[in-house]
Amino acid sequence: MPLPRIAGFLKNRDVSKIQEMLRQQKEEVIRKQRELQVIERKISNRLLQLGDALSSRFDSIEMIRTEPRRIAWIRKSLSISTYLDLETSIHQLVGDQKDAVVFLGKVGVGIAKEHLEEKEYSSYDMVFLILDPEDSYEGNTDRLPEETCVSVRFCGSHREAPEYYRKLEEYMAAHGLAVSGFSREITMIDYGFTEDTSQFVTEIQIPVEADAASDCW
């Protein structure tokens, strides 16, 4: 309880006043408990993500089913040579938020569907932030549905990504799959966690559907 409130009560003691002060203090404690529970869930989410990243199978293309996700995003054309190239976009996404948004391991870049189909992998068309269920975000958000994606993880960052887009492209062609949306490329472990580049983990997911023109289906 703030000292000025205590001093005010001692100068003018009253049972009803102390009851009201205690009620208010109880409400404040409950509010702080809720805030701590949200923080605990966010920490748990990051620990799960790190554990998942550290147990990655590299260079293995898989078909996965993703859960629905809520994202905040901005359409922006950019090339990435260092992690600093993303700084401006990250500030645009989280800089004006009233509540702190944890973005380690949650910021991604994407290549638009039409550019994936044209096999253009040298630059990106958007930057997005995957929001935790607990995140309070002021601004436009979109909800990605549950999707089937081709996915690959590799040791490296965005600079090494074009090689893996080509591998995913070959896999899709061999299995009669067509791109159905923008790519989701996230560095699960990067400079936000470590300066040791040998520990970097990046994942690319591309949503897919059966290719109507393919004989593989």
Side-chain angles (χ1 to χ4, degrees):
M1 188 175 294
L3 290 176
R5 291 182 63 191
I6 296 174
F9 170 74
L10 292 175
K11 290 178 182 178
N12 187 18
R13 302 180 193 187
D14 181 85
V15 172
S16 62
K17 282 189 176 182
I18 193 63
Q19 281 182 308
E20 180 59 25
M21 289 171 68
L22 289 172
R23 288 192 191 99
Q24 292 175 359
Q25 193 65 16
K26 180 181 178 181
E27 290 174 0
E28 180 66 13
V29 168
I30 291 171
R31 184 184 66 79
K32 288 183 178 179
Q33 285 176 329
R34 289 173 180 156
E35 288 180 355
L36 289 172
Q37 287 171 350
V38 168
I39 292 170
E40 180 188 10
R41 288 196 292 271
K42 288 185 178 184
I43 292 172
S44 295
N45 290 339
R46 297 288 73 71
L47 285 170
L48 286 171
Q49 182 190 46
L50 274 172
D52 181 30
L54 291 169
S55 63
S56 295
R57 292 177 57 199
F58 292 140
D59 303 340
S60 175
I61 297 177
E62 300 177 349
M63 292 276 287
I64 62 171
R65 192 72 179 165
T66 63
E67 298 290 330
R69 292 173 283 185
R70 187 168 60 104
I71 65 167
W73 64 282
I74 53 174
R75 184 173 293 279
K76 184 172 185 179
S77 178
L78 76 160
S79 298
I80 300 175
S81 56
T82 74
Y83 73 100
L84 293 174
D85 294 326
L86 272 173
E87 286 294 305
T88 301
S89 299
I90 291 173
H91 284 302
Q92 284 182 258
L93 284 168
V94 303
D96 296 328
Q97 295 303 306
K98 183 173 60 177
D99 297 326
V101 177
V102 177
F103 56 85
L104 287 178
K106 300 192 329 181
V107 174
V109 290
I111 300 176
K113 178 177 180 287
E114 59 268 24
H115 291 154
L116 291 171
E117 292 171 337
E118 293 165 0
K119 302 177 177 52
E120 296 179 7
Y121 310 132
S122 59
S123 63
Y124 299 95
D125 301 295
M126 62 182 299
V127 181
F128 62 86
L129 173 68
I130 296 178
L131 298 169
D132 285 326
E134 298 81 12
D135 282 331
S136 174
Y137 187 87
E138 294 184 359
N140 294 328
T141 64
D142 283 330
R143 186 169 180 82
L144 301 180
E146 184 180 353
E147 295 174 302
T148 298
C149 296
V150 292
S151 171
V152 66
R153 292 183 182 182
F154 58 92
C155 180
S157 61
H158 300 297
R159 283 182 298 180
E160 291 76 40
E163 171 190 351
Y164 291 92
Y165 276 101
R166 286 187 282 272
K167 289 181 178 181
L168 289 170
E169 170 203 327
E170 292 170 2
Y171 179 93
M172 288 186 287
H175 290 80
L177 299 169
V179 177
S180 62
F182 67 89
S183 65
R184 291 84 154 127
E185 181 183 327
I186 297 176
T187 48
M188 303 173 71
I189 298 179
D190 61 5
Y191 283 104
F193 292 101
T194 178
E195 292 185 357
D196 183 356
T197 57
S198 68
Q199 295 187 44
F200 284 11
V201 179
T202 298
E203 180 176 29
I204 301 172
Q205 297 175 1
I206 300 178
V208 294
E209 60 189 1
D211 188 345
S214 173
D215 296 329
C216 295
W217 286 76

